[in-house]
Amino acid sequence: MNGKKRNFRGGLLAVTMILVVSLMAGCGGNNNNSAAEATAAPAANATTEPTAAPTTEPAADPVTVKLQLKWVPQAQFAGYFVAQDKGYYKDEGLNVEILPGGPDIVPEQQVAGGSADIGVDWVASLLTSQEQEMPLVQIAQIFQKSGLVLVSKKATGISTPADLKGKKVGNWMGGNEFEILALFDKYKLDSNKDIKFTKQGFTMDQFLGGDIDVASAMTYNEYQIVLESGIKAEDLNVIDMNDEGVAMLEDNLFANKEWLAANKETAAKFVRASLKGWKDAIADPAAAVDSVMKLAEAGSTTKEHQLTMMNEVAKLILPEGFDSAKMGYTDAAAFKQTADIALQFGVIKKASNVDEAYTNEIVEMAAK
């Protein structure tokens, strides 16, 4: 089509005809299709020519979210591991890094300092950090009930909290004692005069060996260790903080306020995938424990113990009669009770502004 112009006029018409014929041949190839079909031919070949391929937006890179756990990998956090293994975070466009906790790790400090985006801890600890002006806000309440109980051998004769008078009662302290103190207060028991309130180790050896009469225990961990030691449930008395009306909310999800302001959609996606993981973990505890055991330190636990833990954790996340559609929501009355107990026993020095301490907005976004 770039042929040179002829120098004689007489051949102009002939040249023009040749060019027209040549053009038609080039567009139509070797077939005799109609002009409309000839015009459509290049589209048919577009898939083989990169320059003619339709343009598409490149896939967005996954958004990284760092989750700081309260403790080491165990069934207490199974929902997050299940969500990771089943690709629920990936489906939401997230790359979630689950950071293990430990005795020297304070989740609130990690999140406030930017080392993590979202953390897991007990509400009382969050309230303390908020009072210290850490820019943190609760975005979901995972455990709807407290897992803390006081356990004693029936031989000690402790059937009600009033029977604690004169007994040696253990607790881990360090922020774990406030429900117990509220219980003492309810029954007019002075923890310094009426009870021998002592620091309890992180094993149940003191209780099993008879060094303390009453031990603090989580239903999903220490209480199960006592049963695994050979003591039967019928030989134990248990005082449940929920039954006594002094329960404080435990495992939650919280975020840095500044990060949350710029990442509400990301936070909602994380919560949605996490709750999906929790629902699966509750429905299939054995599979959830498989996810846990892949990350648990070798020799630190057993699959049997983790399975029991998972079954007990499920009772705290989805208590009997609780609407599963409300998983993750923060109950205003339960949060206020926790804050009131925290104020009563000096966890916080001034009343918490509960309207700013937590929000259900992210859970509501996640439910859409």
Side-chain angles (χ1 to χ4, degrees):
M1 292 181 66
N2 292 324
K4 295 180 181 179
K5 184 184 292 185
R6 302 286 182 175
N7 292 325
F8 50 91
R9 295 174 182 272
L12 181 58
L13 181 59
V15 170
T16 301
M17 291 298 293
I18 292 171
L19 287 172
V20 171
V21 172
S22 176
L23 178 61
M24 292 178 65
C27 291
N30 295 322
N31 59 46
N32 294 318
N33 292 339
S34 68
E37 290 173 319
T39 302
N45 293 329
T47 55
T48 61
E49 298 178 14
T51 56
T55 58
T56 57
E57 290 294 326
D61 291 334
V63 177
T64 296
V65 175
K66 295 182 179 181
L67 173 67
Q68 178 63 65
L69 301 181
K70 174 181 173 65
W71 195 243
V72 297
Q74 58 183 17
Q76 179 182 357
F77 315 110
Y80 312 113
F81 302 136
V82 171
Q84 186 84 289
D85 280 356
K86 290 198 171 184
Y88 295 155
Y89 293 130
K90 184 178 180 180
D91 291 345
E92 295 284 356
L94 305 179
N95 171 37
V96 174
E97 297 179 16
I98 302 177
L99 310 175
D104 300 322
I105 294 176
V106 179
E108 288 82 0
Q109 291 178 0
Q110 298 297 102
V111 174
S115 297
D117 303 305
I118 296 174
V120 178
D121 208 342
W122 287 8
V123 172
S125 182
L126 175 66
L127 291 171
T128 301
S129 300
Q130 289 175 332
E131 186 171 71
Q132 294 171 357
E133 299 187 351
M134 292 187 191
L136 305 173
V137 61
Q138 177 166 311
I139 61 173
Q141 182 62 52
I142 303 303
F143 285 17
Q144 298 295 332
K145 293 182 65 177
S146 169
L148 182 62
V149 297
L150 286 179
V151 59
S152 61
K153 299 168 187 173
K154 280 192 174 178
T156 60
I158 303 170
S159 56
T160 71
D163 298 326
L164 294 171
K165 187 172 183 178
K167 304 298 183 180
K168 193 171 184 179
V169 181
N171 184 268
W172 311 287
M173 309 299 182
N176 298 296
E177 70 272 23
F178 301 112
E179 289 172 86
I180 308 301
L181 290 174
L183 180 71
F184 294 162
D185 189 66
K186 178 181 177 180
Y187 285 88
K188 310 301 181 186
L189 297 171
D190 188 316
S191 60
N192 295 314
K193 298 177 181 178
D194 299 323
I195 291 172
K196 299 175 183 177
F197 199 36
T198 188
K199 183 174 176 59
Q200 176 180 322
F202 287 100
T203 69
M204 294 302 283
D205 292 349
Q206 290 163 283
F207 176 72
L208 295 174
D211 294 329
I212 56 177
D213 302 306
V214 186
S216 294
M218 302 306 294
T219 56
Y220 53 81
N221 196 7
E222 290 82 8
Y223 180 71
Q224 303 304 323
I225 290 174
V226 173
L227 297 181
E228 291 165 8
S229 74
I231 299 178
K232 296 179 180 180
E234 54 266 32
D235 293 327
L236 297 169
N237 280 328
V238 174
I239 299 172
D240 190 317
M241 302 303 112
N242 299 286
D243 295 340
E244 293 296 334
V246 295
M248 298 176 77
L249 291 173
E250 296 169 354
D251 289 32
N252 64 4
L253 290 174
F254 61 89
N256 185 300
K257 286 184 177 180
E258 296 175 2
W259 176 87
L260 185 64
N263 295 277
K264 284 188 177 181
E265 287 291 342
T266 295
K269 290 176 179 180
F270 173 83
V271 170
R272 180 163 49 239
S274 296
L275 292 177
K276 192 174 181 180
W278 274 118
K279 288 176 182 177
D280 283 3
I282 293 170
D284 191 350
V289 168
D290 287 339
S291 293
V292 171
M293 293 304 293
K294 290 191 294 185
L295 298 171
E297 182 180 352
S300 65
T301 188
T302 66
K303 188 172 182 177
E304 292 73 23
H305 181 74
Q306 291 301 315
L307 183 58
T308 300
M309 182 183 291
M310 182 62 243
N311 287 324
E312 292 300 321
V313 163
K315 298 174 185 177
L316 304 180
I317 296 174
L318 195 61
E320 185 176 353
F322 186 78
D323 183 0
S324 61
K326 291 293 184 181
M327 281 178 63
Y329 275 84
T330 301
D331 179 78
F335 194 95
K336 186 177 185 305
Q337 176 172 296
T338 299
D340 288 347
I341 292 174
L343 178 64
Q344 180 182 358
F345 295 103
V347 181
I348 50 179
K349 294 180 174 60
K350 59 182 180 180
S352 170
N353 184 347
V354 295
D355 291 335
E356 295 183 2
Y358 74 88
T359 178
N360 278 319
E361 180 185 10
I362 303 304
V363 175
E364 289 168 355
M365 289 173 63
K368 294 180 180 178

